[in-house]
């Protein structure tokens, strides 16, 4: 049975799956913005951007504040930290693969340079 952290991770990955939502997060990484400011570079309706923002908010990736009539959106880093932690578990696997590739490339280079290993 999935844990709450796994459920959160699934929600985060689902939100990140869309390129428009990733672009919105990239924009918010530079600072707070209103919905209109966020929507400006996209060729979609304000309603479509609002739907994307709701997905990001449900996933905990953004929060919305309130300052008089201004409702700024801001990036929330915690779910991205969870993604980073999850991905880092596989770093040893990737590193070992790169180490094997590096050893193999050295063997190939030795062979091309006429060097021979005595086994």
């Amino acid at each position: 049975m999935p844990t709450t952290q796994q459920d959160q991770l699934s929600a985060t990955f689902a939100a990140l799956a869309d390129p428009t939502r990733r672009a919105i997060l990239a924009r918010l990484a530079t600072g707070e913005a209103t919905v209109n400011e966020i929507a400006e570079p996209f060729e979609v309706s304000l309603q479509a951007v609002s739907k994307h923002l709701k997905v990001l908010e449900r996933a905990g990736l953004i929060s919305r504040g309130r300052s008089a009539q201004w409702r700024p959106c801001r990036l929330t880093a915690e779910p991205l930290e969870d993604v980073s932690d999850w991905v880092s578990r596989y770093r040893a696997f990737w590193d070992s693969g790169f180490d094997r590739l590096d050893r193999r490339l050295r063997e190939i280079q030795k062979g091309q340079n006429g060097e021979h290993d005595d086994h």
Side-chain angles (χ1 to χ4, degrees):
M1 183 171 220
T3 65
T4 303
Q5 184 181 15
Q6 288 172 328
D7 292 344
Q8 176 60 50
L9 197 57
S10 295
T12 301
F13 277 122
L16 293 173
D18 186 276
T20 300
R21 291 193 287 267
R22 292 192 305 271
I24 290 170
L25 290 177
R27 164 56 186 90
L28 292 175
T30 67
E32 295 181 346
T34 64
V35 175
N36 286 335
E37 291 169 336
I38 292 168
E40 194 173 299
F42 299 105
E43 293 184 14
V44 296
S45 69
L46 194 58
Q47 183 179 3
V49 171
S50 291
K51 287 182 181 181
H52 284 299
L53 291 172
K54 286 178 185 171
V55 171
L56 292 169
E57 192 171 21
R58 278 194 304 271
L61 290 163
I62 68 166
S63 63
R64 296 189 200 204
R66 182 167 290 219
S67 177
Q69 299 289 30
W70 193 57
R71 288 190 46 117
C73 297
R74 65 185 59 87
L75 182 65
T76 306
E78 291 82 14
L80 295 174
E81 291 171 12
D82 292 341
V83 168
S84 177
D85 291 345
W86 184 84
V87 169
S88 70
R89 294 181 203 164
Y90 298 92
R91 182 173 221 85
F93 171 76
W94 295 327
D95 288 347
S96 69
F98 287 129
D99 290 344
R100 285 191 307 273
L101 178 60
D102 188 46
R103 283 192 301 274
R104 181 65 183 130
L105 290 173
R106 285 187 200 154
E107 290 170 6
I108 291 169
Q109 285 177 329
K110 283 181 182 178
Q112 288 177 347
N113 292 334
E115 298 174 21
H116 299 285
D117 284 339
D118 293 332
H119 292 293

